[in-house]
Amino acid sequence: MTEKNWVTYEADANGFKTEARFTEDTVNEVFIPFLKKLTEVYGQVGGRKVIAYLVGPPGVGKTITAHYLEKLSREHQELTTIRALGIDGFHFTNAYMDAHFAMVDGSTIPMKSIKGAPETFDLDAMQSKIREIKQEETDWPVYDRNIHDVVPDAISVEAEIILIEGNYLLLKDPRWTNIRTLADYTAFIKTDPEILKTRLIDRKVRGGKTQAEAEDFYNKSDGRNVALVLNNSAEADETWTLEPDGDITKEEE
């Protein structure tokens, strides 16, 4: 077996310092071609900004991958620069979720108990902001995992190509259809759910929960969201696979 050559990248992902490894093959055969495709699409849309989505289940590494793609786009002159953004800033605030409920499996439960589920996002605000960002420079909200809440209008967005990462952007759900259809190009990262279970429980522990609390949250929320995204997302323009060793490969078209 040929030994893989790894590139290590560290970024601040929603308030956490996070490290990722990508192989040189992934960079050259998946990431660079993807960025070249976005540059091509930008040349076809008549001067407006391009909206691209990087989609996948919770824990698959979308945030740090998107940031790494932004870094690559700035290092290659032949590529149009992209700006990586996430949708977590469109969660309802903790105050809102404390005062509202959601219907799950026929039962009414506190919205905050399923934080991260599709029902906990402000879709009207998200749709409005994506439409706005296509046409002009604007500010974008973020979710800070240190305070576990939304920070509105936290960053200014200036780029020709906007790469938005999130779990549900391709969800086959009527409530998300208007969001899904705003994209000019999309990529989806899939993987084995067991890989994600380990990653997500570890992330909650790093965020301050006990092991038991993290496992309980996975069973009640994260695990359901993993299954939902893997099983109920529309087909993307490209499909990538997160391998057990953390490498990313691209499905043949």
Side-chain angles (χ1 to χ4, degrees):
M1 181 179 295
T2 304
E3 184 175 348
K4 295 181 177 181
N5 296 315
W6 295 90
V7 176
T8 301
Y9 175 66
E10 184 179 272
D12 187 316
N14 298 331
F16 279 148
K17 288 293 184 182
T18 304
E19 185 177 278
R21 299 192 312 158
F22 307 108
T23 64
E24 292 179 359
D25 284 347
T26 293
V27 173
N28 295 323
E29 298 174 13
V30 181
F31 293 166
I32 296 295
F34 175 67
L35 292 171
K36 286 182 176 179
K37 180 63 180 181
L38 297 187
T39 296
E40 177 186 328
V41 172
Y42 177 66
Q44 298 170 344
V45 298
R48 69 161 172 81
K49 297 175 187 291
V50 164
I51 302 296
Y53 290 166
L54 182 63
V55 186
V60 81
K62 299 178 298 298
T63 301
I64 196 164
T65 300
H67 282 289
Y68 185 67
L69 287 164
E70 178 181 321
K71 174 178 179 290
L72 282 177
S73 76
R74 298 179 184 278
E75 293 175 345
H76 294 262
Q77 289 186 344
E78 75 275 18
L79 300 173
T80 302
T81 300
I82 72 167
R83 184 70 159 94
L85 303 171
I87 68 168
D88 283 352
F90 292 100
H91 273 105
F92 290 116
T93 64
N94 285 337
Y96 180 94
M97 285 191 275
D98 283 338
H100 290 78
F101 296 84
M103 183 70 68
V104 177
D105 296 334
S107 298
T108 301
I109 62 175
M111 183 177 284
K112 196 170 184 180
S113 69
I114 56 167
K115 190 174 184 178
E119 296 89 342
T120 64
F121 286 86
D122 185 343
L123 298 186
D124 289 338
M126 189 189 305
Q127 180 184 171
S128 176
K129 183 63 73 172
I130 295 174
R131 289 187 183 279
E132 180 183 353
I133 210 171
K134 274 191 173 188
Q135 305 300 334
E136 60 189 61
E137 295 176 3
T138 187
D139 294 328
W140 190 265
V142 300
Y143 184 87
D144 190 322
R145 293 189 185 279
N146 289 306
I147 63 172
H148 302 289
D149 210 348
V150 172
V151 181
D153 298 330
I155 52 177
S156 179
V157 181
E158 302 174 7
E160 292 85 1
I161 299 174
I162 310 300
L163 178 62
I164 305 175
E165 57 86 9
N167 300 331
Y168 309 116
L169 291 167
L170 291 177
L171 202 61
K172 293 187 288 188
D173 180 317
R175 294 168 295 183
W176 286 79
T177 298
N178 290 335
I179 303 291
R180 191 173 77 236
T181 56
L182 290 174
D184 298 296
Y185 198 78
T186 59
F188 186 88
I189 309 175
K190 67 176 186 177
T191 195
D192 184 334
E194 288 301 312
I195 293 174
L196 300 177
K197 181 177 182 179
T198 299
R199 285 176 163 230
L200 289 164
I201 290 174
D202 178 65
R203 188 164 76 183
K204 289 296 182 186
V205 170
R206 287 190 292 119
K209 291 187 178 294
T210 66
Q211 183 72 22
E213 288 171 337
E215 291 176 358
D216 183 62
F217 189 86
Y218 178 85
N219 292 330
K220 291 180 177 178
S221 183
D222 275 343
R224 298 169 66 97
N225 298 333
V226 165
L228 176 65
V229 174
L230 288 176
N231 298 326
N232 199 40
S233 291
E235 185 176 356
D237 294 299
E238 296 186 16
T239 300
W240 305 348
T241 300
L242 175 69
E243 305 291 349
D245 63 357
D247 198 5
I248 293 177
T249 57
K250 180 182 173 182
E251 283 192 358
E252 294 295 330
E253 297 178 2

